Amino acid sequence: MEQELYLNNEGLTFRQMALEDIPDVMVIEHEAFTLPWTEDAFRNELTQNHFARYMIMQYMGQAVGYAGMWTVIDEAHVTNIAILEAFRGRKWGERLLRELMKTASQLGMQRMTLEVRVTNEVAQNLYRKLGFKPAGLRKGYYSDNQEDAMIMWADLPERGSAYGSEEGSEAY
């Protein structure tokens, strides 16, 4: 039982991504995606894109995951979400997405959207669990293999009622 507590959400914290996080993010990015973003892309998101919001998930002080979104009017568009391979299978992806959804709601967003590979059933199941529903396809969306992307949407709770306040998280 003690081992299970250790592997649970103990020690997880969430904070706003900073430029100094980019090297850690690049490790996660290259592990998680066949078409990873570049350092310059993340630098631009953090310094030039006023719609962008990115967060880091840390475990015992180490960056183990990150997530990002663009917030436009009342909609949040998830740009990416990823966790280091060694830390997958602990339901931390769910924890990270819940934190992103909570942040979006706190920022006044009413809906959230994302694209996911049609073959990525693990991610689709997570998104469905958190209220996302399929809304269409983007044909040939992924340039590495021309795979289609499923577009999914979820309604977010009203500001103040979103997911409660979790210890270790900071609003930004």
Side-chain angles (χ1 to χ4, degrees):
M1 186 67 173
E2 190 174 324
Q3 178 72 6
E4 188 176 316
L5 286 174
Y6 176 74
L7 294 176
N8 205 343
N9 292 332
E10 297 292 315
L12 282 182
T13 57
F14 301 88
R15 63 172 176 76
Q16 186 173 358
M17 186 186 290
L19 289 172
E20 300 77 44
D21 294 313
I22 292 176
D24 290 334
V25 168
M26 293 310 299
V27 171
I28 299 166
E29 182 77 3
H30 282 271
E31 248 191 40
F33 299 111
T34 56
L35 294 169
W37 283 18
T38 64
E39 287 186 33
D40 284 342
F42 282 102
R43 190 171 289 103
N44 184 62
E45 287 291 283
L46 296 177
T47 60
Q48 303 298 316
N49 186 346
H50 301 292
F51 301 108
R53 304 284 184 273
Y54 285 83
M55 68 173 51
I56 294 287
M57 180 174 71
Q58 292 181 306
Y59 176 65
M60 307 298 276
Q62 175 191 357
V64 297
Y66 78 93
M69 65 183 164
W70 295 336
T71 55
V72 181
I73 306 175
D74 63 354
E75 296 177 350
H77 186 126
V78 177
T79 55
N80 28 27
I81 181 168
I83 295 178
L84 280 174
E85 192 171 350
F87 294 91
R88 295 180 195 158
R90 301 179 186 195
K91 302 207 179 289
W92 288 0
E94 178 179 342
R95 183 83 187 271
L96 180 57
L97 184 54
R98 283 185 187 279
E99 192 69 23
L100 191 68
M101 293 173 82
K102 181 175 90 173
T103 300
S105 181
Q106 290 171 342
L107 292 169
M109 303 298 109
Q110 295 177 3
R111 301 181 73 210
M112 181 174 268
T113 187
L114 54 78
E115 292 92 5
V116 58
R117 288 179 184 267
V118 293
T119 57
N120 191 344
E121 293 180 23
V122 171
Q124 289 175 36
N125 288 337
L126 168 62
Y127 302 148
R128 282 187 179 95
K129 179 179 180 180
L130 296 184
F132 285 85
K133 293 179 175 60
L137 290 178
R138 295 196 197 283
K139 295 284 188 189
Y141 183 77
Y142 294 98
S143 61
D144 61 334
N145 63 359
Q146 302 307 308
E147 184 174 354
D148 296 345
M150 180 186 300
I151 304 163
M152 300 183 85
W153 282 90
D155 291 325
L156 297 171
E158 289 185 32
R159 194 182 334 203
S161 66
Y163 309 102
S165 164
E166 292 190 34
E167 191 174 323
S169 61
E170 302 173 14
Y172 53 90

